[in-house]
Amino acid sequence: MINNSAVLKLGLLVIAMFGLSKFSQASETKILRFDKIIDGTGIALQAKDIAIRNGVIISVGTDLDRSINAEVVEFDGLTAMPGIIDAHTHITYGLPSTPKGDAWAELGQATREQRYSASILNAMLTLRTGVTTVRDLNADQNLDFELRDAINSGEVIGPRIFASGPGIHPFNDPPPEGVEEASADFLRIAAQKRIDAGADWIKIFGTTGSASDLTSKAYYSPTAIAAAAEAAKAAGKRITVHSYGPEAVDAAIKAGVTSLDHPVGISDTHIAAMREKGIIYVPTVDHNRYYAQHASEYGYTPIIQQNLHAFVERNIMTVRAAHQAGVTIAMGSDAVMSGFGENTCELKAFLAAGMSNVEAIQSATINGAKLLGKEQELGRIGEGFAADIIGVRGDPTINIDAIISGVTVVLKDGSIVVDNRDKAGAINKPDCGALY
Ligand SMILES: [Zn+2]
């Protein structure tokens, strides 16, 4: 466990840095009045008021104060949207400061306490982007479980986290000596270990490929992946497979995963099967733009930068094909380290792949909720949904920058966790750079 007073001190520092208002009384009914409301479906509602109580939306309409006796809180000039869902983060990959040129080595040297503190900061930076829910897919030492639980208990301010713990990977689960490839039993046990430790999701690294390594070599046999998936399903957990190229896609589809993360260059047959089985595609296009743009923090050469940009271009082509074929796509940033704050740049990649603004909004709201199996609780502005609401400047159905650099207010579970109405509006204005 991390020293509590250190966490509290950091929490206060975060509050001072980001100008958080005190948590409002969640048990009181409040009416939030916006200029406009855009639902997770991308549709502009014929309503301006959202009534909330105990962290839940109880009514959506106009002039709700005529029927509900409650304080009206004005959000002048802002468009309300559901809190954004980021379907792929690494919130515990954090350093005390910006990486100095060898980010991965620096991360390896950071102590558990340093990493936990950086995670708390990442959590706040994530909220500032309008992201109120993340699926976090790989963390050392179960730090993600600790952060998730601290956020759920109110000790730390951050997005709701669905966590996988350490992903199943030969590095995290070295096969016994003399054994070349993990058996089905080995992977079943590996999955069970995560479930017992508190995982919400089981993540399998089906292939190589990460950061400057753009290869996609399969790590596991289809039988082994199927065995891990069986264990996950038996425990009521969802499963996702990391496949940088097509190499683990067949195995994942056969195993009945909920989602596939990253894959580039998959075939039309793969795409058709994903659509047919409702497997959600989380393309994580923009993170390779991030690595190229932040090359100096990682020590990446100009050649690596070029390769990253070329990979982005191919990734966009795959997204275009999957989108045209009707595959459900969820927005996942794959944010690490200084990437927190750039989470929603991914939306630009989706527009580049041919999505409309409305479809891009859906990828970051209702599709993320579907991925998590929370389509009755998250991703929409409607009665019975969590009061995870953001206020943005502008209309994201016309200009997606309203989300990327216009988030001015963030409510999570009905409490204001980011509020910059009195300042110059949005404070998070990421430089999303050029995709390729
Ligand atoms: Zn990742």
Side-chain angles (χ1 to χ4, degrees):
M1 280 297 289
I2 302 293
N3 180 307
N4 274 329
S5 73
V7 169
L8 188 67
K9 239 186 267 165
L10 185 78
L12 293 173
L13 176 72
V14 166
I15 289 171
M17 277 171 71
F18 297 106
L20 295 178
S21 49
K22 277 249 179 243
F23 273 35
S24 54
Q25 280 293 96
S27 58
E28 271 172 42
T29 303
K30 287 211 164 63
I31 297 167
L32 319 176
R33 181 161 291 161
F34 289 89
D35 278 15
K36 196 172 184 172
I37 301 173
I38 292 176
D39 188 27
T41 56
I43 292 168
L45 302 181
Q46 296 299 322
K48 292 185 173 189
D49 292 353
I50 305 168
I52 60 170
R53 185 171 58 226
N54 291 328
V56 176
I57 297 171
I58 57 166
S59 184
V60 180
T62 298
D63 297 328
L64 285 182
D65 51 324
R66 289 187 191 165
S67 51
I68 299 172
N69 180 23
E71 181 198 346
V72 177
V73 186
E74 303 274 356
F75 294 96
D76 288 337
L78 297 182
T79 302
M81 282 190 58
I84 302 296
I85 298 171
D86 186 339
H88 190 136
T89 62
H90 298 286
I91 204 158
T92 66
Y93 293 18
L95 294 172
S97 57
T98 308
K100 291 173 182 63
D102 196 356
W104 297 116
E106 292 164 44
L107 186 66
Q109 283 153 15
T111 65
R112 190 174 197 276
E113 186 152 7
Q114 283 173 328
R115 290 187 61 162
Y116 190 67
S117 297
S119 306
I120 293 174
L121 194 59
N122 283 346
M124 198 59 232
L125 292 168
T126 301
L127 285 177
R128 272 183 19 172
T129 67
V131 169
T132 50
T133 298
V134 304
R135 184 181 62 152
D136 200 71
L137 295 177
N138 190 46
D140 274 355
Q141 306 166 68
N142 295 342
L143 269 173
D144 53 344
F145 300 155
E146 191 166 335
L147 184 66
R148 174 196 65 192
D149 297 346
I151 289 170
N152 287 345
S153 73
E155 186 191 334
V156 167
I157 302 168
R160 61 186 83 238
I161 297 179
F162 294 88
S164 71
I168 298 177
H169 185 290
F171 177 81
N172 288 331
D173 309 78
E177 216 170 318
V179 176
E180 259 197 26
E181 194 173 276
S183 66
D185 272 344
F186 188 82
L187 246 67
R188 187 180 292 118
I189 292 164
Q192 194 59 48
K193 246 195 266 171
R194 273 81 177 170
I195 294 160
D196 295 343
D200 304 302
W201 276 77
I202 294 300
K203 188 221 182 136
I204 300 180
F205 285 89
T207 69
T208 55
S210 171
S212 62
D213 173 6
L214 300 171
T215 62
S216 176
K217 197 170 159 284
Y219 281 131
Y220 301 112
S221 71
T223 357
I225 289 180
E230 248 174 54
K233 285 180 199 170
K237 307 295 179 189
R238 294 183 167 219
I239 182 156
T240 191
V241 167
H242 157 124
S243 185
Y244 241 57
E247 283 72 12
V249 171
D250 275 325
I253 292 171
K254 280 205 193 87
V257 297
T258 299
S259 60
L260 267 159
D261 289 69
H262 319 298
V264 166
I266 53 178
S267 70
D268 290 348
T269 316
H270 287 147
I271 287 173
M274 285 173 74
R275 195 188 78 143
E276 201 179 302
K277 297 199 168 196
I279 295 172
I280 297 173
Y281 180 26
V282 184
T284 68
V285 179
D286 182 68
H287 79 299
N288 285 318
R289 183 281 308 162
Y290 159 80
Y291 285 126
Q293 195 169 316
H294 294 254
S296 63
E297 297 168 26
Y298 290 82
Y300 294 162
T301 62
I303 301 278
I304 293 174
Q305 280 176 294
Q306 267 175 33
N307 292 343
L308 288 164
H309 281 301
F311 196 82
V312 166
E313 197 170 359
R314 292 175 54 220
N315 209 341
I316 287 174
M317 283 163 62
T318 310
V319 177
R320 182 181 294 276
H323 174 59
Q324 279 174 357
V327 173
T328 301
I329 295 173
M331 187 204 79
S333 63
D334 214 346
V336 302
M337 302 207 245
S338 57
F340 288 90
E342 299 187 13
N343 306 55
T344 52
C345 289
E346 181 77 359
L347 296 170
K348 289 208 168 181
F350 287 175
L351 296 189
M355 278 192 204
S356 67
N357 283 32
V358 164
E359 288 164 338
I361 291 168
Q362 291 172 349
S363 77
T365 53
I366 54 172
N367 294 358
K370 190 176 172 195
L371 170 85
L372 297 166
K374 301 287 177 194
E375 52 271 72
Q376 302 304 323
E377 295 162 50
L378 302 174
R380 295 201 60 179
I381 293 192
E383 197 184 321
F385 283 81
D388 288 3
I389 300 161
I390 61 174
V392 304
R393 289 208 185 273
D395 183 342
T397 64
I398 297 166
N399 186 348
I400 211 73
D401 286 336
I403 299 174
I404 296 171
S405 51
V407 174
T408 303
V409 167
V410 178
L411 286 94
K412 192 196 148 211
D413 286 325
S415 294
I416 295 180
V417 289
V418 174
D419 189 354
N420 293 292
R421 283 174 294 171
D422 295 345
K423 304 180 186 96
I427 48 170
N428 186 58
K429 294 178 182 290
D431 172 11
C432 297
L435 282 161
Y436 53 85

PDB file of all heavy atoms in Angstrom, residues 88-90 137 203 242 262 334, ligand 1:
ATOM      1  N   HIS A  88      -8.851   2.378 -24.137  1.00  0.00           N
ATOM      2  CA  HIS A  88      -7.515   1.765 -24.048  1.00  0.00           C
ATOM      3  C   HIS A  88      -6.523   2.779 -23.482  1.00  0.00           C
ATOM      4  O   HIS A  88      -6.082   3.678 -24.188  1.00  0.00           O
ATOM      5  CB  HIS A  88      -7.065   1.285 -25.433  1.00  0.00           C
ATOM      6  CG  HIS A  88      -5.826   0.438 -25.417  1.00  0.00           C
ATOM      7  ND1 HIS A  88      -5.691  -0.729 -26.153  1.00  0.00           N
ATOM      8  CD2 HIS A  88      -4.655   0.571 -24.758  1.00  0.00           C
ATOM      9  CE1 HIS A  88      -4.514  -1.262 -25.948  1.00  0.00           C
ATOM     10  NE2 HIS A  88      -3.846  -0.482 -25.106  1.00  0.00           N
ATOM     11  N   THR A  89      -6.206   2.633 -22.217  1.00  0.00           N
ATOM     12  CA  THR A  89      -5.183   3.510 -21.622  1.00  0.00           C
ATOM     13  C   THR A  89      -4.163   2.686 -20.849  1.00  0.00           C
ATOM     14  O   THR A  89      -4.355   1.488 -20.613  1.00  0.00           O
ATOM     15  CB  THR A  89      -5.803   4.514 -20.619  1.00  0.00           C
ATOM     16  OG1 THR A  89      -6.415   3.780 -19.546  1.00  0.00           O
ATOM     17  CG2 THR A  89      -6.826   5.417 -21.279  1.00  0.00           C
ATOM     18  N   HIS A  90      -3.082   3.388 -20.469  1.00  0.00           N
ATOM     19  CA  HIS A  90      -2.082   2.843 -19.538  1.00  0.00           C
ATOM     20  C   HIS A  90      -1.835   3.912 -18.492  1.00  0.00           C
ATOM     21  O   HIS A  90      -0.793   4.552 -18.458  1.00  0.00           O
ATOM     22  CB  HIS A  90      -0.800   2.476 -20.286  1.00  0.00           C
ATOM     23  CG  HIS A  90      -1.021   1.415 -21.317  1.00  0.00           C
ATOM     24  ND1 HIS A  90      -1.223   0.095 -20.974  1.00  0.00           N
ATOM     25  CD2 HIS A  90      -1.128   1.466 -22.665  1.00  0.00           C
ATOM     26  CE1 HIS A  90      -1.428  -0.620 -22.077  1.00  0.00           C
ATOM     27  NE2 HIS A  90      -1.378   0.193 -23.117  1.00  0.00           N
ATOM     28  N   LEU A 137      -5.395  -1.224 -19.755  1.00  0.00           N
ATOM     29  CA  LEU A 137      -5.015  -2.563 -20.224  1.00  0.00           C
ATOM     30  C   LEU A 137      -3.535  -2.898 -20.074  1.00  0.00           C
ATOM     31  O   LEU A 137      -2.834  -3.042 -21.059  1.00  0.00           O
ATOM     32  CB  LEU A 137      -5.422  -2.703 -21.698  1.00  0.00           C
ATOM     33  CG  LEU A 137      -6.924  -2.662 -21.991  1.00  0.00           C
ATOM     34  CD1 LEU A 137      -7.186  -2.739 -23.485  1.00  0.00           C
ATOM     35  CD2 LEU A 137      -7.670  -3.766 -21.257  1.00  0.00           C
ATOM     36  N   LYS A 203      -6.664  -9.200 -20.463  1.00  0.00           N
ATOM     37  CA  LYS A 203      -6.009  -8.743 -21.674  1.00  0.00           C
ATOM     38  C   LYS A 203      -4.895  -9.722 -22.048  1.00  0.00           C
ATOM     39  O   LYS A 203      -4.051 -10.051 -21.217  1.00  0.00           O
ATOM     40  CB  LYS A 203      -5.390  -7.363 -21.460  1.00  0.00           C
ATOM     41  CG  LYS A 203      -4.875  -6.791 -22.782  1.00  0.00           C
ATOM     42  CD  LYS A 203      -3.557  -6.095 -22.676  1.00  0.00           C
ATOM     43  CE  LYS A 203      -3.183  -5.535 -24.044  1.00  0.00           C
ATOM     44  NZ  LYS A 203      -2.662  -4.188 -23.958  1.00  0.00           N
ATOM     45  N   HIS A 242      -4.628  -8.090 -27.866  1.00  0.00           N
ATOM     46  CA  HIS A 242      -3.727  -7.156 -28.553  1.00  0.00           C
ATOM     47  C   HIS A 242      -3.121  -7.903 -29.742  1.00  0.00           C
ATOM     48  O   HIS A 242      -2.517  -8.954 -29.575  1.00  0.00           O
ATOM     49  CB  HIS A 242      -2.647  -6.717 -27.537  1.00  0.00           C
ATOM     50  CG  HIS A 242      -1.359  -6.214 -28.100  1.00  0.00           C
ATOM     51  ND1 HIS A 242      -0.855  -4.965 -27.779  1.00  0.00           N
ATOM     52  CD2 HIS A 242      -0.438  -6.773 -28.915  1.00  0.00           C
ATOM     53  CE1 HIS A 242       0.311  -4.782 -28.398  1.00  0.00           C
ATOM     54  NE2 HIS A 242       0.585  -5.870 -29.084  1.00  0.00           N
ATOM     55  N   HIS A 262      -5.775  -2.635 -31.698  1.00  0.00           N
ATOM     56  CA  HIS A 262      -4.713  -2.234 -32.640  1.00  0.00           C
ATOM     57  C   HIS A 262      -4.799  -2.739 -34.080  1.00  0.00           C
ATOM     58  O   HIS A 262      -4.337  -2.030 -34.964  1.00  0.00           O
ATOM     59  CB  HIS A 262      -3.301  -2.608 -32.132  1.00  0.00           C
ATOM     60  CG  HIS A 262      -3.046  -2.380 -30.697  1.00  0.00           C
ATOM     61  ND1 HIS A 262      -3.105  -1.122 -30.143  1.00  0.00           N
ATOM     62  CD2 HIS A 262      -2.734  -3.228 -29.684  1.00  0.00           C
ATOM     63  CE1 HIS A 262      -2.825  -1.216 -28.840  1.00  0.00           C
ATOM     64  NE2 HIS A 262      -2.609  -2.476 -28.536  1.00  0.00           N
ATOM     65  N   ASP A 334      -4.679   4.564 -26.136  1.00  0.00           N
ATOM     66  CA  ASP A 334      -3.416   3.903 -25.793  1.00  0.00           C
ATOM     67  C   ASP A 334      -2.458   4.898 -25.134  1.00  0.00           C
ATOM     68  O   ASP A 334      -1.239   4.799 -25.293  1.00  0.00           O
ATOM     69  CB  ASP A 334      -2.759   3.269 -27.035  1.00  0.00           C
ATOM     70  CG  ASP A 334      -2.018   1.981 -26.701  1.00  0.00           C
ATOM     71  OD1 ASP A 334      -1.793   1.715 -25.505  1.00  0.00           O
ATOM     72  OD2 ASP A 334      -1.660   1.239 -27.639  1.00  0.00           O
TER      73      ASP A 334
HETATM   74 ZN    ZN B   1      -1.802  -0.459 -25.031  1.00  0.00          ZN
END
